[in-house]
Structures are given as structure tokens and as C-alpha cells.
Amino acid sequence: MIEGKTVLTGVKPTGKPHLGNYLGAIKPTIEMGKAAKRHIMFIADYHAINAQKDAEILNKEIKEIACVYLAAGLDPKKSIFYRQSDIPEIFEITTILTAFTPKGFMNKAHAYKAAVDKNVAAGKPNDDGINMGLYTYPVLMAADILTFDTDIVPVGKDQIQHVEIARDIAGAINAYYGKDVLVQPNYVADENIAVIPGLDGRKMSKSYGNVIPMYEDDKTLKKAVFAIKTDSKPIEEPKNPEEVLVYEVYKTIAPADKVAEMADGLRNGKLGYGHVKNMLLDAIIEKTAQEREVYNYYMAHFDEVEQVLAEGAEKARAIAKQTLKRLKNTVFGF
Ligand code: ADP
Ligand code: TRP
């Protein structure tokens, strides 16, 4: 399905990723990219400014996300890896796309609707605090995708609608000119990816403040793991593993034999919550310690990352220029 295709993913720099992001998005994206003919991965920094106006924070979050992807195994020799803001053609293409985008699409877009719903619930005017960047977010995202003749966009469920909008905009342009000017993308939403529970049992999410952070030192990781909710059953009391949150998280990260070992220990009253938390901590450290070193190295040598991103931008611009030329030629006749 992926073989022979151009696969593209964007990631918003919105704070250091957590274990849920890592297992649910970062690792699967990198794996999928390996099978693609062309894999494109970018940091969606222009998308981030809709919500984050503090340059210092933004800069830090862009750095962190770049280093996380490289540490997690993104190979910049194989994948084209760049910052969105380094590709000016995307923004020219955005302007062309707006002329073919019905305003009604934006009114229906989930991110905008969710922001309006929040305002209504709080008794505020519908559009309170909503900027045009958020409102037209799907057009910029369509440009991100269409600029690179993308076949497939791997997404979480919340992003499906955005890819459909990109597909519709490309379809409208192709229909208007009666030729295939732009490639119409498809999304893949992997149903098999587990939702990682957070410290309180809800989905692990930055917005719930219930996360196990990535690439932190052992002490910080330990603090998070030991904050996972448990009841007060003593060690010897048999426990149903499916009701133990630590076990639910462990399942997503540990090898099958170790998972079975934890399940048995809980059922037989041989393992208490302290034991299983230590097992989880060890599993996280084992899985990420090496990557954490690479992450720390890149954070301390960001000039090397800048070099990687500059090379990625050069490759990306070569493609973007061609698409822009094709579009301008179609739209203006030159
Ligand atoms: P958050 O909920 O922390 O704000 P995002 O919405 O920014 O996370 O998610 C970024 C990516 O990480 C998405 O592709 C999403 O599907 C994935 N992701 C986030 N939380 C989890 C989780 N708990 N389990 C699995 N995947 C997750
Ligand atoms: N909207 C995506 C998110 O919030 C990030 C993103 C921006 C993206 N442009 C993209 C994802 C293009 C895939 C393709 O997670």
C-alpha cells in the first residue's frame, strides 16, 4: 500500500512529546516512512503560531521536536526532513488554493468548530479569540500536502477531515482546468495503534496533564511512573491485570514474555504496585535510553540539526518550485 508512494507527515511543535505521542505517532510514522518510495516529514511551525506567540517557547519546541524525530530514528538521508517555514513556495501555493476553497469548508472544519463550541459553552461570542490562522488552517495544511504531490498522509482520526479537504481542493482545481494539475491525496488512519492511557487512566494527553514525558532523566521518569493511579490492594491480594493501569501501559511498551510475566505476578499475588511500577520504569528506560542520549546530543549540538534541516529544505524546495511553476502556468498561463 505504501510501496511506490509519496508519504508525507507534518508535526506541530507543541511541547516535548510524551509516551503516547511517541508510541502512537512518532514511531509508526518513522516505520511507515521506511517503506515509502519518497518519505517527507516536516515541522509545521507556521501552524503553531496560531496558538503560540512566544518566540522563545516556539523556538524551544521546534528544536525539541526536530531532535526527538532524529533520536527516534528518522533517517534524513532517506526522508526529506525540513521546517515548513523554510519553504516559501508553500505559502504562495496556499494563496492560489484559497481561490478554489469554498468558505463553507472552513466553517465546517473540526478545529474551528471545536473552538466555537468552547466559546459558546463559556458564554463568549462565537469567534472570540479565534484568529484567521486557525480558521484557514485546512488551506495551509492542504498546501503542505499538495505541494509535494503526496499520495498518502498517515494521520490520527482528528486529522482525517483535513486530508479530505486537501483532496477536495485538488479535485476542484483539476476539474476546473480539466487536467490533473495536483495529485489527490489519501489518508491512512491506523486502527491498530493502541491509545496509551495516561497517569489517571484517561488517554495520555498534554491537555490532561497526565503524561509520561519522553527522553527525560531517570528521576523525572520515575516520578511520572510512580504517579500512575492504583488502588490500595496489598501485594498478596490477587489482582486482575486488566484492571491495573500500570499493566495497561506496560502492555504497550514491553515484550510479550515480560507482559505475561507481569500478568501472572499480579494474578498470583506475587507482584505489588511498587514492583510493577519498577518493571514499567525499566521497560521505558530500556526502550528509550539509547535514543535519549542521541536526543541530548542533538539538543547540545543543534547546529548539526540545522544542517540536516537546511539540506532537507533544499530537497523540498526543488519539488515545491516545480509544483508552484505548474500551478502558476495553469492559473496565469505563464
Ligand atoms: P496531545 O493529546 O498530547 O495534545 P496530540 O493531539 O498533539 O497529543 O497528538 C499528536 C499525535 O500523537 C497524534 O497523531 C495522536 O494520535 C498521537 N497521540 C496522542 N496521544 C496519544 C495516546 N495517548 N496514545 C496514542 N497516540 C497518541
Ligand atoms: N494538522 C496536523 C496536526 O495538528 C499537523 C500538520 C500540518 C500536518 N500540516 C500537515 C499533518 C500535513 C499531515 C500533513 O497534527
Side-chain angles (χ1 to χ4, degrees):
M1 186 192 189
I2 299 295
E3 288 77 15
K5 305 279 195 218
T6 294
V7 175
L8 171 138
T9 321
V11 59
K12 263 194 304 187
T14 51
K16 204 166 170 186
H18 51 73
L19 193 66
N21 302 138
Y22 178 81
L23 295 174
I26 297 170
K27 278 290 190 185
T29 302
I30 291 173
E31 281 313 306
M32 199 183 281
K34 287 183 186 160
K37 181 182 81 180
R38 183 152 75 184
H39 183 228
I40 301 178
M41 177 77 227
F42 73 97
I43 301 169
D45 51 356
Y46 263 114
H47 286 282
I49 62 175
N50 297 328
Q52 182 56 267
K53 303 286 191 288
D54 184 318
E56 213 175 297
I57 296 177
L58 253 182
N59 193 275
K60 178 168 166 281
E61 294 186 338
I62 292 166
K63 262 180 90 168
E64 284 173 351
I65 201 79
C67 295
V68 163
Y69 270 87
L70 292 174
L74 185 79
D75 177 0
K77 289 199 189 69
K78 170 125 207 321
S79 302
I80 303 179
F81 186 41
Y82 59 90
R83 249 182 319 232
Q84 181 193 30
S85 59
D86 285 336
I87 320 294
E89 290 78 13
I90 292 173
F91 309 98
E92 282 195 69
I93 291 174
T94 302
T95 304
I96 297 176
L97 300 187
T98 56
F100 293 86
T101 307
K103 176 171 170 285
F105 278 13
M106 303 298 103
N107 296 336
K108 282 188 283 187
H110 293 323
Y112 171 64
K113 268 177 47 182
V116 171
D117 289 348
K118 210 168 151 193
N119 279 337
V120 172
K124 293 181 181 164
N126 281 12
D127 283 336
D128 196 64
I130 298 178
N131 56 49
M132 282 301 286
L134 173 68
Y135 187 60
T136 61
Y137 186 105
V139 190
L140 178 54
M141 181 155 160
D144 291 332
I145 296 168
L146 301 177
T147 297
F148 297 96
D149 293 340
T150 303
D151 300 303
I152 292 175
V153 187
V155 287
K157 282 203 191 86
D158 60 322
Q159 298 297 316
I160 290 177
Q161 187 198 31
H162 290 151
V163 182
E164 286 172 341
I165 291 175
R167 191 178 167 78
D168 287 348
I169 297 173
I173 291 178
N174 292 348
Y176 187 82
Y177 293 105
K179 58 180 177 180
D180 289 339
V181 188
L182 295 168
V183 173
Q184 287 189 267
N186 287 304
Y187 64 83
V188 260
D190 192 340
E191 299 291 339
N192 298 321
I193 292 177
V195 173
I196 316 296
L199 306 183
D200 56 0
R202 292 185 290 174
K203 169 184 180 276
M204 189 180 290
S205 171
K206 281 185 282 280
S207 39
Y208 296 145
N210 62 356
V211 309
I212 299 176
M214 284 307 302
Y215 300 151
E216 292 291 351
D217 57 80
D218 292 359
K219 208 172 136 208
T220 310
L221 280 176
K222 184 168 183 182
K223 201 169 154 218
V225 168
F226 274 74
I228 297 177
K229 222 166 74 179
T230 58
D231 54 30
S232 51
K233 288 195 184 97
I235 298 180
E236 60 283 3
E237 187 174 334
K239 301 167 211 51
N240 175 0
E242 304 303 329
E243 288 167 8
V244 177
L245 188 51
V246 180
Y247 173 77
E248 292 301 314
V249 181
Y250 193 66
K251 267 199 316 201
T252 65
I253 192 157
D257 55 331
K258 296 270 196 181
V259 173
E261 201 179 293
M262 185 184 282
D264 286 345
L266 285 166
R267 275 195 212 98
N268 303 338
K270 293 226 167 63
L271 292 176
Y273 295 125
H275 298 128
V276 293
K277 283 180 174 176
N278 273 316
M279 286 170 79
L280 173 61
L281 180 63
D282 287 347
I284 296 172
I285 291 172
E286 194 177 320
K287 188 146 180 127
T288 59
Q290 216 175 339
E291 291 182 5
R292 180 171 64 184
E293 259 176 55
V294 180
Y295 173 81
N296 288 336
Y297 174 87
Y298 278 130
M299 284 298 283
H301 299 84
F302 199 71
D303 51 326
E304 291 183 28
V305 180
E306 283 290 4
Q307 183 61 31
V308 166
L309 292 171
E311 283 164 20
E314 201 178 316
K315 291 183 210 157
R317 284 197 77 180
I319 304 167
K321 278 182 183 155
Q322 283 177 16
T323 308
L324 179 60
K325 194 168 163 205
R326 200 165 72 229
L327 258 178
K328 280 173 116 173
N329 179 271
T330 304
V331 171
F332 298 114
F334 59 69

